[in-house]
Amino acid sequence: MTETQQHPDTTPTPAAPRGAVVPDKAALEGLETKWAAQWRADDTYAFDRTRPRAEVYSIDTPPPTVSGSLHVGHVFSYTHTDLIARYQRMTGKSVFYPMGWDDNGLPTERRVQNYYGVRCDPSLPYDPDFTAPERPDAKRQVPISRPNFIELCEQLVEQDEEVFERLWRTLGLSVDWKQHYTTIGERSQTVSQRAFLRNFARGEAYLQEAPTLWDVTFQTAVAQAELEARDYAGHYHRVAFHRADGTPIHIETTRPELIASVVALIAHPDDERYQALFGTTVTSPVFGVEIPVLAHPAAEPDKGAGIAMCCTFGDLTDVTWWRELQLPVRTVMGRDGRFSRETPAWLSGEVAAAAYEDLKGKTAFSAREAMVAKLRESGDLDGEPTPTQRMANFYERGDKPLEIVATRQWYIRNGGRDAAVREEMLARGAEITWLPAHMKHRYDNWVGGLNGDWLISRQRFFGIPFPVWYPLDAEGEPDYDHPYLPSEADLPIDPSTQTPNGFTEEQRGKPGGFIGDPDVMDTWATSSLTPQIAGGWESDPDLFERVFPMDLCTQAHDIIRTWLFSRVVRAHYENHATPWSHAMLSGFILDPDRKKMSKSKGNVVVPTEILDKYGADAVRWRAAMARPGLDSPFDESQMKVGRRLAMKVLNASKFVLGSVGAVEPNPLAVTEPIDCALVGRLAGVVTRATRALEAYDYTTALETTETFFWEFCDDYLELVKERAYAEDGGAPTESARATLALALHIQLRLLAPYLPYVTEEVWSWWQEGSVHKAAWPRAIELGSAGAADGGSIDAVAAALGGIRGAKSQAKVSMRHQLTRVEVSGPAQLVEAARLAESDLRKVGKITGDLVFTATDATELSVQAELAEA
């Protein structure tokens, strides 16, 4: 259906009304249960896949991590998505709004380990009769096989997903639940492995052994996007290396334990202090290993002694020096975070080997203590260590500084090592409409600051495996340069349990046989394909053609560098396009002290508590007051404001439909000047709210609508109720009733995306179908009255307020009679107030004169004389 077909440019003929059925006791309680069940039964939010792409609005919804727990920040950001989805649906679009669950990866593994008291040991065989311990002990975890561990992961995430779905349904998300997916499901496995195989075939994915950021706790590689810089307490140690003549060359280091792996001393090429040293060698303290002194512009002359030791590897600067100066690799730190238990070849001399003996198998902390003791003993420690705070890289989920170890990993090119690819990614970013616009700078800064390609492999268990096997030579050594790959028709593949074509399981791990790639894909490597997974890429071409590229992605601004950028990378390679046209970023929800909420700080607000206490409509109202990209402090008392609005919608509607019986929203019956003014004001509200929502400014649309609603309730309803009640009022009464019904009909639709439950409830009292499938209001529906000047409403409201104020000041009832009232002020305002003379007289209980006087005053004022009690 086209825009023209749905909204013809003529005043629509109003639908025949039916009598309103208004409950005696309307209440907000129970609406979530009632209408969530009804929407589910009616399939209210089903996506119509017969519509062409031009009539589809598709959303790439963030799949929440089900192994975690939702907090109020999630509730707010997912509500923002739903506001747009509901608006687009009411404008006539078929909305593709799926929900995914991010259930693979490290968070799930940790939760399973703690929940069941187990740990994965890939060397163990599968036990078909395994049952989890009755009394799990997280400190004494039972080792189980990888297949058994994965079964527990799948079992637990299914339970978690049910909890998440109940919460989202209660919140009122208008998701089409038939379109849901999981990031570990067969569909996701197939899409992820297919995309990887194609990346590899085109040279975008590659396997390389290189220095890798490594988390020793979780025993896995970590990508640049997962780094978190934190303050870390340490000590500077002033240590002497020695020239051939015994002259000491002092360096300052926070990691003296890595002296065993030093490969060079580095100073800035312009540092005059070390010019004579460049090209010479020195020996390391304690070990006596000869190493070169070299120049590199990344050395900092004003930091410490101005000369630093390069170890392989202590930090990312070491990696840069190692790569650019073509230095050897001397690794002492293993994947387990402990020093190698074998004496390295470069420490094979008698003195060096004896010194290393005390470091074998030690953690970095213990090795540091041992090394400092040796430096004191040798006299190579100058003074005592001085305390310092340094910035260290941590895995965002870890609690120990990362180490750098040489490992073989899979990468996807993202521009970190290729300027041309980087420019392509920046160009893709420019194709996206950013909401708010300044978020594009974060994307550009991230892409511009990349220092390496995207590491996508993880040394974990519950994830999507790489569909790769490696041949073994006659000695049983893997040939990583000539991997065996499956055909796309065979996907999904698990190389740990399946064999490549032409091989049998008996040849696994045997010379001349094969081994499967032991790693799994990083969860972002799967989540980077959510548009393709949800949209049926390759598996459902008809659907994919209707939804891709998508119209909107929504997410928090802190994962621009991970989820948003990674989706741009994958869509660029696979679809030669950006994955969506708009990116709407949410801010953080802060605690009252303006600190980010986190479980570790104990300042998280549990969503179910506020939903139970205030209702979904109130929570959604508060969420809608948080604009895109802006952090918002959480104050529970604000929920009361949203609940008050929802309650007012219920009560005002009951008054209009029940007490007054205004059920026919007929714009042709609106004839009285003040009624026309109200409708004219409403036409402006519709225009402004629509314009705001088209610009994704849901907050302004709500503020505009809500302001009018309260004016409608507090002023207009009070003003015209006497006229609307009149049984024989003729055309003026019909005008009031038509205006009330028309205004309510329009306002319910304006508020529907924000307050889905109470608007659906009221709509059901007098309209067929769901308000959420009704058309978004247009000013043209208001007929000729919509063109009226709505400014007179303010003047009438001021006059009414003055009459009320006079009675309040005199401390009498609002039903107390007035013998004389004078409304004075600027001529334009006085004449505007005169439009409602009859209504003001009735509602004000004015028995005597009602006088309108133009003066030189700048504001309207009211003088009233009270009848004797």
Side-chain angles (χ1 to χ4, degrees):
M1 184 182 297
T2 66
E3 172 93 6
T4 303
Q5 290 171 323
Q6 185 178 358
H7 301 298
D9 290 329
T10 57
T11 303
T13 301
R18 62 177 174 82
V21 180
V22 182
D24 293 332
K25 294 182 179 180
L28 298 178
E29 286 71 23
L31 293 186
E32 289 91 350
T33 301
K34 172 184 177 180
W35 287 110
Q38 191 66 51
W39 295 333
R40 187 171 193 166
D42 295 345
D43 216 2
T44 301
Y45 306 118
F47 170 63
D48 180 1
R49 63 173 295 159
T50 67
R51 303 275 289 278
R53 181 65 184 89
E55 296 174 15
V56 168
Y57 188 89
S58 53
I59 301 172
D60 187 14
T61 320
T65 304
V66 295
S67 56
S69 57
L70 294 173
H71 55 71
V72 71
H74 293 106
V75 166
F76 278 35
S77 61
Y78 281 79
T79 296
H80 299 161
T81 309
D82 190 61
L83 298 176
I84 302 302
R86 288 181 177 277
Y87 166 70
Q88 292 291 340
R89 191 178 291 110
M90 294 180 74
T91 64
K93 293 290 183 68
S94 177
V95 176
F96 181 72
Y97 186 14
M99 179 61 70
W101 305 126
D102 190 4
D103 47 13
N104 68 15
L106 181 58
T108 297
E109 289 187 24
R110 290 182 64 186
R111 177 156 156 71
V112 168
Q113 289 170 354
N114 294 329
Y115 188 86
Y116 292 111
V118 299
R119 63 178 175 83
C120 182
D121 184 345
S123 67
L124 295 177
Y126 175 66
D127 180 0
D129 299 321
F130 172 77
T131 56
E134 290 185 7
R135 296 182 179 180
D137 185 348
K139 296 182 179 179
R140 294 184 178 180
Q141 296 174 344
V142 177
I144 60 175
S145 72
R146 180 174 179 174
N148 287 123
F149 186 76
I150 290 175
E151 285 180 353
L152 291 181
C153 290
E154 292 171 340
Q155 179 179 321
L156 189 58
V157 296
E158 188 173 337
Q159 298 174 24
D160 292 337
E161 287 161 7
E162 292 174 358
V163 174
F164 274 42
E165 182 175 336
R166 283 198 299 271
L167 177 63
W168 286 151
R169 286 185 181 274
T170 300
L171 183 62
L173 297 191
S174 59
V175 165
D176 181 356
W177 289 99
K178 295 192 301 298
Q179 306 295 337
H180 101 285
Y181 63 89
T182 68
T183 59
I184 198 65
E186 184 172 320
R187 182 180 7 161
S188 293
Q189 291 184 39
T190 301
V191 169
S192 299
Q193 292 183 340
R194 178 190 296 120
F196 166 77
L197 290 175
R198 294 187 182 184
N199 289 140
F200 182 69
R202 294 189 296 257
E204 298 147 5
Y206 61 92
L207 184 67
Q208 184 180 65
E209 183 167 9
T212 307
L213 288 163
W214 187 267
D215 188 283
V216 298
T217 303
F218 299 118
Q219 297 284 290
T220 186
V222 175
Q224 182 183 354
E226 298 168 305
L227 299 185
E228 189 174 284
R230 303 178 196 165
D231 275 330
Y232 189 69
H235 290 80
Y236 270 121
H237 305 78
R238 183 174 168 83
V239 177
F241 285 69
H242 299 277
R243 300 182 68 174
D245 62 3
T247 305
I249 303 298
H250 289 96
I251 60 100
E252 292 187 16
T253 179
T254 58
R255 302 205 63 182
E257 72 276 14
L258 293 181
I259 290 173
S261 66
V262 67
V263 292
L265 293 190
I266 311 285
H268 194 279
D270 298 332
D271 194 329
E272 296 181 356
R273 293 172 293 178
Y274 303 109
Q275 294 294 319
L277 280 176
F278 294 141
T280 69
T281 61
V282 295
T283 55
S284 60
V286 177
F287 300 102
V289 175
E290 188 172 355
I291 59 171
V293 181
L294 304 173
H296 193 281
E300 300 175 275
D302 57 348
K303 183 177 180 180
I307 188 168
M309 64 179 188
C310 174
C311 306
T312 49
F313 299 91
D315 57 24
L316 293 174
T317 302
D318 284 346
V319 177
T320 300
W321 287 339
W322 164 79
R323 181 179 293 119
E324 296 183 5
L325 297 175
Q326 297 184 339
L327 298 170
V329 175
R330 292 177 179 170
T331 302
V332 293
M333 185 68 72
R335 292 187 177 198
D336 59 356
R338 295 178 178 272
F339 273 56
S340 171
R341 292 167 177 80
E342 301 293 328
T343 302
W346 66 92
L347 300 179
S348 58
E350 184 177 345
V351 173
Y356 185 76
E357 197 67 28
D358 292 337
L359 304 181
K360 288 182 177 180
K362 282 185 164 54
T363 64
F365 179 81
S366 298
R368 187 176 307 137
E369 289 186 326
M371 193 64 204
V372 170
K374 289 181 178 294
L375 290 169
R376 283 199 181 99
E377 184 180 344
S378 68
D380 292 318
L381 181 66
D382 185 8
E384 286 300 305
T386 57
T388 184
Q389 284 287 117
R390 64 184 178 95
M391 296 302 291
N393 283 323
F394 287 74
Y395 173 40
E396 59 188 1
R397 300 181 184 276
D399 54 12
K400 292 183 179 180
L402 295 172
E403 296 293 348
I404 300 177
V405 299
T407 60
R408 183 175 285 104
Q409 304 288 346
W410 283 103
Y411 296 85
I412 288 180
R413 303 182 194 281
N414 64 359
R417 295 182 181 176
D418 187 325
V421 174
R422 185 183 298 116
E423 289 303 315
E424 290 173 351
M425 298 307 164
L426 290 171
R428 289 296 183 200
E431 296 173 7
I432 299 168
T433 299
W434 296 83
L435 306 160
H438 70 264
M439 287 295 172
K440 179 178 181 295
H441 299 306
R442 298 197 183 189
Y443 175 90
D444 291 345
N445 291 339
W446 172 253
V447 176
L450 289 170
N451 57 28
D453 285 333
W454 177 18
L455 190 157
I456 63 167
S457 49
R458 294 293 181 272
Q459 290 64 52
R460 301 301 306 177
F461 314 111
F462 190 53
I464 296 176
F466 287 91
V468 179
W469 300 269
Y470 305 103
L472 299 179
D473 62 20
E475 284 73 41
E477 293 297 319
D479 180 1
Y480 294 107
D481 295 328
H482 301 90
Y484 298 136
L485 304 173
S487 69
E488 290 189 11
D490 294 331
L491 301 177
I493 287 288
D494 183 352
S496 71
T497 59
Q498 295 170 264
T499 63
N501 289 335
F503 289 84
T504 63
E505 185 61 32
E506 288 69 28
Q507 294 173 280
R508 185 184 297 274
K510 304 291 178 59
F514 70 94
I515 58 168
D517 192 303
D519 294 344
V520 297
M521 297 182 192
D522 169 32
T523 185
W524 294 115
T526 300
S527 297
S528 62
L529 294 163
T530 52
Q532 290 83 356
I533 294 169
W537 172 59
E538 294 292 331
S539 64
D540 192 342
D542 178 76
L543 175 63
F544 196 66
E545 183 180 336
R546 297 176 195 275
V547 302
F548 187 91
M550 294 187 169
D551 295 279
L552 179 68
C553 83
T554 60
Q555 61 174 74
H557 60 72
D558 60 325
I559 53 174
I560 289 175
R561 72 189 192 280
T562 49
W563 191 41
L564 190 148
F565 176 57
S566 64
R567 284 175 293 167
V568 171
V569 171
R570 303 306 285 278
H572 170 76
Y573 284 138
E574 202 55 54
N575 310 108
H576 311 294
T578 53
W580 1 255
S581 58
H582 292 71
M584 186 170 72
L585 291 309
S586 300
F588 290 138
I589 302 305
L590 311 175
D591 70 9
D593 296 326
R594 301 196 70 86
K595 296 178 181 177
K596 182 183 176 182
M597 289 187 179
S598 68
K599 287 195 295 183
S600 62
K601 295 178 181 177
N603 60 353
V604 168
V605 176
V606 179
T608 50
E609 294 178 359
I610 57 173
L611 285 169
D612 290 343
K613 188 172 182 180
Y614 298 105
D617 283 343
V619 174
R620 290 173 62 96
W621 173 88
R622 173 61 187 90
M625 300 307 290
R627 295 180 184 274
L630 298 181
D631 295 344
S632 179
F634 179 82
D635 181 353
E636 187 174 314
S637 64
Q638 295 168 329
M639 302 294 172
K640 298 176 183 178
V641 181
R643 183 173 176 82
R644 178 171 170 256
L645 173 63
M647 198 68 221
K648 192 66 174 180
V649 170
L650 207 61
N651 291 333
S653 301
K654 187 175 180 182
F655 174 78
V656 170
L657 300 173
S659 301
V660 176
V663 297
E664 186 172 354
N666 182 7
L668 300 177
V670 180
T671 56
E672 291 298 296
I674 193 60
D675 299 339
C676 291
L678 187 281
V679 172
R681 172 68 66 88
L682 180 56
V685 169
V686 169
T687 299
R688 290 192 297 277
T690 303
R691 186 183 302 123
L693 279 167
E694 284 296 316
Y696 295 82
D697 185 359
Y698 49 77
T699 305
T700 295
L702 173 59
E703 291 173 342
T704 301
T705 301
E706 186 180 358
T707 298
F708 177 85
F709 175 76
W710 285 112
E711 292 172 349
F712 170 76
C713 294
D714 294 343
D715 298 328
Y716 182 78
L717 270 179
E718 290 299 318
L719 180 70
V720 304
K721 65 182 181 182
E722 297 293 337
R723 173 158 53 99
Y725 274 136
E727 294 185 4
D728 56 353
T733 293
E734 290 306 310
S735 177
R737 291 177 178 174
T739 303
L740 289 170
L742 185 61
L744 181 61
H745 197 270
I746 295 287
Q747 289 179 96
L748 287 176
R749 287 181 283 157
L750 289 174
L751 289 169
Y754 304 94
L755 312 176
Y757 288 108
V758 71
T759 53
E760 187 77 300
E761 172 69 11
V762 172
W763 191 263
S764 72
W765 296 347
W766 65 317
Q767 298 293 322
E768 299 292 343
S770 170
V771 68
H772 303 299
K773 299 181 79 170
W776 181 255
R778 300 180 75 205
I780 198 170
E781 296 178 41
L782 299 170
S784 58
D789 180 11
S792 57
I793 290 292
D794 295 326
V796 174
L800 180 60
I803 292 170
R804 290 171 176 166
K807 293 182 180 182
S808 294
Q809 191 171 6
K811 298 182 180 179
V812 298
S813 164
M814 287 297 142
R815 302 193 64 81
H816 194 96
Q817 295 182 349
L818 301 177
T819 56
R820 185 179 189 279
V821 172
E822 181 177 10
V823 179
S824 60
Q828 184 177 1
L829 296 182
V830 168
E831 289 306 308
R834 193 193 297 274
L835 295 177
E837 180 176 357
S838 175
D839 290 322
L840 287 171
R841 182 177 291 280
K842 291 176 182 177
V843 75
K845 307 299 179 184
I846 303 171
T847 58
D849 294 334
L850 174 55
V851 181
F852 296 89
T853 306
T855 68
D856 294 333
T858 58
E859 296 180 353
L860 207 67
S861 63
V862 175
Q863 298 293 325
E865 296 178 5
L866 281 71
E868 293 184 5

